[in-house]
Amino acid sequence: MSLENMEGKCLRPETKDVNGVLMTKFISDNWDTIWSFQARPDDLLIATYAKAGTTWMQEIVDMIQNGGDLLQCQRANTYDRHPFIEWMLPPPLKSGLDLANTMPSPRTLKTHLPAQMLPPSFWKENCKIIYVARNAKDCLVSYFHFSRMNKMVPDPGTWEEYIEAFKAGQVLWGSWYDHVQGWWDRKNRHRILYVFYEDLKEDPKREIQKILQFLEKDITEEVLNKIVYHTSFDVMKHNPMANYTTLPASIMDHSISPFMRKGMPGDWKNHFTVAQSEAFDKDYQRKMAGSTLTFRTEI
Ligand code: A3P
């Protein structure tokens, strides 16, 4: 059974920790299978904290891999083109691992796992990894609205409750602070390209050139311009193979909040009160103290 056939059957999932990180119960109950996932040396992994720009990077990478062939990139939904390795659903629904294991090489895979929980075969096989990081406040805002509209993740509660849950790492895939730092700390020891959402928004062409270099791909200026255009927010917003609108409203209800919502840095200013922002920043300084990792919260 596919997700598209789930009309009226979706319920908010139960949650259960794996090594202190909040996951759905389906992920937690199948953790051993996920942990023993066999990566292949030519796998490319797109790793992100939730709502950091995963879908955007998936579209960029797919366009690059297909030499800018639009029709080819519209062959399937984002989640069917790139298996989401830890995403477990109750049978008969297909999990990310089922899809990955039957996919021919070279595969492009997706994960939201923190670095310390990545199945060890990825490190052993020295796979290339693109990590996308986005500033905490915009991630929080995006995750809050996503959790309102997507019934496959826990209910976010009120805005005030959600800020506290995010700060405490009590959201799926755990602490944003640990996630961005864990991948940052590993980036010089492995083949990891660390990309910032804000940089991608500021100058997509420059950042796509970095991705091309990392993937050892060469394309013409014309194809590069085509990729920049096709992966812009306004175009992706109307691409049904990338905007999650093919799922039934009982799973993702875009009338509550569209998946392609604002697509810009700085929207947090429309959500945080001055007091909430100050308290968030104070807590942030404490959690990120000593880190060389810095973010822009607007461009
Ligand atoms: P907002 O909710 O702030 O709009 P993910 O794919 O990791 O779930 O991230 C989704 C976020 O990335 C959403 O943020 C979405 O709008 C944004 N996004 C998706 N495609 C984008 C694009 N082409 N340009 C800018 N932002 C994009």
Side-chain angles (χ1 to χ4, degrees):
M1 189 195 250
S2 70
L3 274 176
E4 287 80 356
N5 297 331
M6 282 281 288
E7 189 65 67
K9 296 197 182 101
C10 205
L11 293 173
R12 296 277 183 181
E14 285 179 58
T15 57
K16 193 171 155 193
D17 281 17
V18 180
N19 305 329
V21 175
L22 198 73
M23 297 283 172
T24 66
K25 191 168 178 300
F26 295 124
I27 295 179
S28 202
D29 288 348
N30 290 285
W31 184 249
D32 290 348
T33 316
I34 298 167
W35 184 248
S36 56
F37 175 70
Q38 274 310 303
R40 305 174 192 157
D42 57 357
D43 283 340
L44 171 69
L45 182 67
I46 297 175
T48 57
Y49 188 76
K51 310 319 289 174
T54 330
T55 316
W56 189 9
M57 184 56 73
Q58 287 176 269
E59 201 61 23
I60 291 171
V61 165
D62 203 37
M63 282 290 279
I64 291 174
Q65 288 168 337
N66 287 290
D69 184 336
L70 274 180
L71 275 181
Q72 189 55 21
C73 293
Q74 283 166 1
R75 68 194 178 281
N77 281 299
T78 312
Y79 51 83
D80 284 326
R81 284 180 270 158
H82 302 145
F84 184 6
I85 56 166
E86 72 271 24
W87 194 243
M88 287 283 176
L89 292 166
L93 288 170
K94 289 247 179 282
S95 70
L97 285 185
D98 296 330
L99 189 60
N101 288 332
T102 53
M103 190 170 265
S105 293
R107 306 177 294 189
T108 296
L109 308 169
K110 160 185 166 180
T111 188
H112 288 323
L113 290 171
Q116 77 279 9
M117 287 172 67
L118 186 70
S121 62
F122 282 98
W123 306 123
K124 188 168 161 278
E125 299 296 348
N126 196 25
C127 298
K128 282 189 185 176
I129 301 173
I130 300 178
Y131 185 80
V132 189
R134 184 181 194 183
N135 80 76
K137 283 174 171 169
D138 282 327
C139 247
L140 186 159
V141 168
S142 182
Y143 209 170
F144 173 69
H145 289 297
F146 179 69
S147 304
R148 291 170 54 232
M149 63 84 77
N150 178 9
K151 305 295 185 301
M152 290 190 291
V153 301
D155 187 289
T158 64
W159 166 245
E160 290 74 15
E161 286 165 350
Y162 195 73
I163 296 179
E164 295 313 313
F166 185 95
K167 280 157 67 176
Q170 284 304 308
V171 292
L172 288 189
W173 294 286
S175 156
W176 175 94
Y177 313 85
D178 292 347
H179 208 283
V180 294
Q181 291 188 92
W183 283 98
W184 181 252
D185 292 345
R186 283 163 178 82
K187 82 173 174 14
N188 296 332
R189 284 184 275 134
H190 300 281
R191 296 203 292 173
I192 299 174
L193 179 70
Y194 202 101
V195 180
F196 292 91
Y197 179 99
E198 295 75 21
D199 292 350
L200 204 47
K201 190 77 192 183
E202 179 183 64
D203 192 342
K205 200 163 176 176
R206 178 192 64 206
E207 297 304 306
I208 293 173
Q209 277 165 332
K210 286 186 201 163
I211 299 163
L212 282 165
Q213 205 178 4
F214 182 69
L215 298 179
E216 298 161 89
K217 299 270 187 203
D218 217 1
I219 53 172
T220 62
E221 183 74 14
E222 191 193 341
V223 172
L224 176 58
N225 289 335
K226 192 174 170 189
I227 296 177
V228 170
Y229 173 76
H230 178 75
T231 59
S232 67
F233 180 77
D234 290 338
V235 174
M236 276 183 63
K237 192 176 169 67
H238 297 107
N239 176 357
M241 289 297 118
N243 65 14
Y244 285 86
T245 53
T246 57
L247 292 175
S250 58
I251 298 182
M252 284 196 190
D253 188 343
H254 296 259
S255 71
I256 295 176
S257 178
F259 181 89
M260 295 285 173
R261 198 183 55 86
K262 287 276 180 75
M264 60 170 203
D267 185 43
W268 62 270
K269 289 186 202 158
N270 300 317
H271 290 77
F272 284 73
T273 64
V274 172
Q276 284 168 346
S277 178
E278 283 175 2
F280 188 91
D281 291 347
K282 208 168 153 199
D283 177 71
Y284 184 97
Q285 300 308 336
R286 222 180 11 251
K287 291 194 169 105
M288 299 294 278
S291 175
T292 54
L293 175 59
T294 54
F295 284 88
R296 292 188 289 168
T297 52
E298 55 191 308
I299 56 171

